[in-house]
Amino acid sequence: MKYRWEYKSSPEKHSVEKLAQSLFKKLDSTRMKIASLLVQRGITTFEQAKTFFRPSLEDLHNPFLMKDMQKAIKRILQAIQNQEKILIYGDYDVDGTTSVALLYSFISTIYDKVTTYIPDRYTEGYGVSFQGIDYAFDNDISLIITLDCGIKDNEKVLYAHKKGIDFIICDHHNPSEELPKAVAILNPKQKNCMYPYKELCGCGVGFKLVQALVVVLELPSEMPFEYLDLVAVAIAADIVPITGENRILTYFGLQKINKNPSTPIDIFVQNLKKSLTVTDLVFVIAPRINAAGRMKHGMLAVQLLIEKNHEKAKILASELENFNAQRKQFDEQITYEALQQIIENQEEKRFTTVVFNPTWHKGVIGIVASRLTETYYRPTLVFTQSGKVLAASARSVSGFDIYKALEQCSELLIQFGGHKYAAGLTLLPENYLLFKEKFEKIVSQSIDSKFLIPKIEIDTELSLKEISSSFYSVIKQFAPFGPLNMTPIFLVRGVINKASRQIGTDTSHLRLVITDANGSITWEGIGFGLGNKLPLVQSGMPLDIVYSLDENTWNGATFVQLRVRDIKLTETQKTIR
């Protein structure tokens, strides 16, 4: 795939110099690069750098700064005092199921009239459902606490109110102008909420509720930290920024996963020998949790995540493993069918990808949308039949707000919701073609053409002689990596190939050894998926390489290597555009 290379915004020189002087006794080019990387991340003072490199749970914000927190606590304590039944209600994805598991696990330690509910993806859909409210009413439940959903369920909350059921909504999605008539709404994105950090995931909001309950109930202050492994998994899976409070929660959540995981998480990771990172949470743990809601029912994930008995948890984890294997099969088949549909309809050169098949499994259309975006790199929607309506998952490309584009099509939709880069929606079958053409028109008229080419953002140039084990040891401390704190990406110009070859069973990867123009500095690197670049590398021409740094262990020895992201001829890459 062709990439466009772009520099991140250059940090202000004076700020970089000032920070470098406060951090280091002696300055050289690599130390200046470290200071520059920090300033790019909004870190300009010694104290901010100290907080960044040494996260502390003491830096978590006071949960009572969140609007309606006092109201939420008051209503929960009233329910406990009056022996009311409480229902913990969450979405069926990773963020929702971990949220429900977290809040249930905590409340059940202090109160026994609490139960859980996850809507069925296929019969109820996303968010609060009428069926869920009816379930609560039929079981004499008078308080529902939602997690990772509810912020747009005005009609459902009103329906529950008429049945004598109160709502506390814990959500992190963007609210509408009119909020549901709940007893309390915990969402840092709502108007007039003074909570300092706005990017919590749903599980993060649930964690803040637990923190507040611990304070009011005068329980040990460390109790909420028992659930940080769940919070870290949710943050990683929901692709929220790993900055500020999220970074602290992820940092200590990973520590718990690697040193003292809960029983279910331990079963997921026990066969992994290495220390887990955010990437492992995204690609190892999250898909297995998600598989429950995709292939059968999200309650299976909750049952696993709250299970303390190792043998029972092992059985449930095995079920999720089987569901995940099924999910992979559906994923591969539907992706193939969708790509064929695009080719047969001669839609390769459109600004959008919109495909539909009534038989496609609703549980994997979001994954397929991501796969199609990787192939054609344009805003993508994958539709399937869901009862009497069509349901779709939407994925966007970097720089384009797909949520705003869907807003402009709202008259054709039954409902929609989501984020800038991912959304879900439903519409009537007769509106599908109308929507498909209007969405194409809106995107074609509003998207910058450069957004249709995937970009690699370069933090700074870093020559081969500036790379060292000590430099990499500092870069590792920038972790945990994720949105708005990604692994630093470097550019080196004019290097020469020394020895390169294709590797992998399908020769799709590239192992290379490069040297500077003088032949005095040599480094090894690997480029996954770059096997087709071998002729370019072996051309004998000077090369510009975009890379990050990582470690490779071979024959018991661990060494720093270049993780190559893209390669171009130096003479064709005079400027970064």
Side-chain angles (χ1 to χ4, degrees):
M1 181 176 283
K2 179 182 177 182
Y3 292 94
R4 57 188 169 95
W5 296 3
E6 285 190 1
Y7 271 122
K8 291 182 180 177
S9 299
S10 298
E12 202 274 322
K13 185 177 179 181
H14 174 72
S15 298
V16 173
E17 291 175 347
K18 186 177 179 181
L19 179 61
Q21 289 167 358
S22 72
L23 293 176
F24 307 111
K25 292 181 180 180
K26 294 182 179 180
L27 297 184
D28 57 22
S29 64
T30 54
R31 290 186 174 94
M32 291 297 291
K33 294 285 170 67
I34 290 168
S36 177
L37 292 170
L38 291 170
V39 174
Q40 281 179 324
R41 287 156 176 75
I43 299 161
T44 59
T45 68
F46 177 85
E47 286 303 318
Q48 288 175 335
K50 181 180 177 182
T51 299
F52 181 77
F53 285 120
R54 300 290 181 268
S56 171
L57 292 169
E58 294 181 359
D59 291 329
L60 295 176
H61 300 302
N62 182 342
F64 291 98
L65 293 174
M66 195 173 292
K67 184 180 180 183
D68 284 0
M69 184 62 79
Q70 293 281 10
K71 293 180 181 177
I73 297 298
K74 181 180 178 181
R75 183 63 185 89
I76 293 171
L77 295 182
Q78 176 187 322
I80 293 174
Q81 183 177 359
N82 295 336
Q83 292 290 293
E84 299 176 56
K85 292 182 180 178
I86 301 173
L87 181 67
I88 312 297
Y89 189 116
D91 186 27
Y92 39 69
D93 69 0
V94 176
D95 195 13
T97 52
T98 54
S99 300
V100 170
L102 183 153
L103 191 58
Y104 173 82
S105 295
F106 172 74
I107 292 182
S108 63
T109 64
I110 59 173
Y111 186 60
D112 61 356
K113 289 183 171 56
V114 57
T115 190
T116 59
Y117 191 94
I118 302 290
D120 185 277
R121 181 190 289 264
Y122 307 106
T123 61
E124 297 174 71
Y126 171 78
V128 178
S129 69
F130 289 114
Q131 295 97 312
I133 294 170
D134 290 341
Y135 170 86
F137 180 76
D138 292 342
N139 287 275
D140 299 320
I141 292 166
S142 53
L143 175 62
I144 296 176
I145 304 174
T146 71
L147 294 148
D148 191 38
C149 61
I151 195 64
K152 291 192 174 183
D153 288 314
N154 302 41
E155 183 184 3
K156 315 288 178 52
V157 173
L158 183 61
Y159 176 77
H161 180 71
K162 291 177 180 178
K163 288 179 169 288
I165 301 171
D166 286 338
F167 263 83
I168 294 172
I169 294 173
C170 305
D171 205 348
H172 71 117
H173 296 98
N174 292 321
S176 302
E177 283 297 318
E178 183 179 352
L179 296 176
K181 305 299 182 184
V183 170
I185 295 177
L186 304 182
N187 185 335
K189 292 189 176 81
Q190 67 178 309
K191 288 182 179 179
N192 301 318
C193 181
M194 303 305 293
Y195 195 75
Y197 190 71
K198 305 296 183 181
E199 301 300 332
L200 293 172
C201 64
C203 195
V205 177
F207 174 82
K208 302 310 294 189
L209 177 58
V210 170
Q211 273 194 307
L213 283 166
V214 164
V215 171
V216 172
L217 295 171
E218 298 182 346
L219 296 170
S221 59
E222 65 274 10
M223 277 190 72
F225 305 147
E226 295 177 20
Y227 311 110
L228 284 180
D229 49 358
L230 294 176
V231 181
V233 170
I235 289 171
D238 224 49
I239 320 296
V240 292
I242 300 189
T243 57
E245 196 162 36
N246 278 346
R247 188 167 184 274
I248 297 171
L249 294 169
T250 307
Y251 180 88
F252 287 99
L254 282 168
Q255 279 195 0
K256 178 169 174 55
I257 289 170
N258 287 313
K259 294 178 181 178
N260 183 33
S262 61
T263 298
I265 300 297
D266 184 44
I267 291 171
F268 282 135
V269 305
Q270 60 187 354
N271 293 325
L272 299 175
K273 305 292 185 182
K274 61 179 181 176
S275 179
L276 268 67
T277 66
V278 169
T279 300
D280 297 306
L281 303 188
V282 173
F283 292 105
V284 177
I285 297 179
R288 286 157 174 79
I289 296 174
N290 253 334
R294 293 186 189 280
M295 306 309 298
K296 192 168 184 181
H297 201 288
M299 271 305 300
L300 291 172
V302 174
Q303 289 169 6
L304 169 62
L305 294 172
I306 64 177
E307 183 57 64
K308 296 180 180 179
N309 180 278
H310 188 273
E311 289 306 312
K312 291 181 180 179
K314 198 171 181 180
I315 293 170
L316 289 167
S318 178
E319 283 191 66
L320 295 197
E321 191 69 46
N322 291 334
F323 290 140
N324 193 45
Q326 293 175 28
R327 186 272 305 169
K328 289 180 181 178
Q329 292 176 350
F330 280 112
D331 170 13
E332 292 173 2
Q333 179 63 30
I334 295 171
T335 298
Y336 172 78
E337 292 175 4
L339 289 170
Q340 290 300 112
Q341 188 178 126
I342 293 167
I343 294 169
E344 290 171 3
N345 294 337
Q346 299 181 336
E347 295 178 342
E348 297 97 323
K349 295 184 179 181
R350 288 168 68 97
F351 286 86
T352 64
T353 295
V354 181
V355 290
F356 164 61
N357 186 312
T359 66
W360 286 343
H361 197 291
K362 187 179 177 184
V364 300
I365 57 174
I367 301 172
V368 173
S370 296
R371 298 271 189 265
L372 298 181
T373 305
E374 292 170 5
T375 303
Y376 288 105
Y377 207 74
R378 59 198 189 193
T380 299
L381 288 98
V382 179
F383 279 88
T384 188
Q385 190 85 31
S386 180
K388 296 181 179 180
V389 302
L390 305 189
S393 282
R395 298 293 183 269
S396 193
V397 295
S398 179
F400 184 76
D401 192 332
I402 201 167
Y403 185 87
K404 287 184 178 179
L406 292 175
E407 279 186 321
Q408 297 178 64
C409 303
S410 59
E411 77 279 4
L412 296 171
L413 306 179
I414 298 172
Q415 64 178 16
F416 70 99
H419 308 283
K420 181 176 181 179
Y421 294 125
L425 59 95
T426 58
L427 52 70
L428 294 173
E430 57 265 32
N431 287 333
Y432 170 71
L433 292 177
L434 292 172
F435 168 82
K436 181 172 182 174
E437 292 312 311
K438 181 166 186 178
F439 184 68
E440 169 73 13
K441 182 178 180 181
I442 288 169
V443 174
S444 67
Q445 292 175 347
S446 59
I447 194 168
D448 190 318
S449 59
K450 71 177 183 180
F451 294 152
L452 298 174
I453 302 173
K455 71 175 177 178
I456 297 177
E457 281 194 303
I458 299 166
D459 290 81
T460 187
E461 291 190 29
L462 189 73
S463 67
L464 296 185
K465 69 179 180 180
E466 292 175 304
I467 304 171
S468 66
S469 296
S470 59
F471 178 78
Y472 178 61
S473 69
V474 177
I475 295 301
K476 284 199 296 185
Q477 294 178 58
F478 279 54
F481 297 115
L484 300 187
N485 183 42
M486 301 297 287
T487 303
I489 302 295
F490 305 109
L491 168 66
V492 60
R493 296 183 184 273
V495 298
I496 306 298
N497 170 56
K498 191 172 182 180
S500 299
R501 58 190 173 89
Q502 293 173 327
I503 61 172
T505 55
D506 57 357
T507 68
S508 62
H509 310 309
L510 184 66
R511 169 65 69 182
L512 66 166
V513 180
I514 56 174
T515 182
D516 62 1
N518 299 322
S520 59
I521 305 292
T522 300
W523 282 96
E524 293 186 17
I526 186 166
F528 293 106
L530 297 181
N532 62 343
K533 296 277 188 179
L534 184 62
L536 178 72
V537 171
Q538 293 181 337
S539 67
M541 302 292 288
L543 305 168
D544 289 354
I545 293 181
V546 175
Y547 68 98
S548 58
L549 296 173
D550 66 10
E551 290 177 325
N552 185 33
T553 299
W554 180 256
N555 288 336
T558 299
F559 55 90
V560 178
Q561 69 175 359
L562 279 60
R563 167 75 160 81
V564 178
R565 307 304 180 102
D566 199 17
I567 307 170
K568 296 181 181 180
L569 293 179
T570 297
E571 61 183 7
T572 63
Q573 188 62 31
K574 297 182 187 298
T575 59
I576 302 295
R577 287 188 286 174

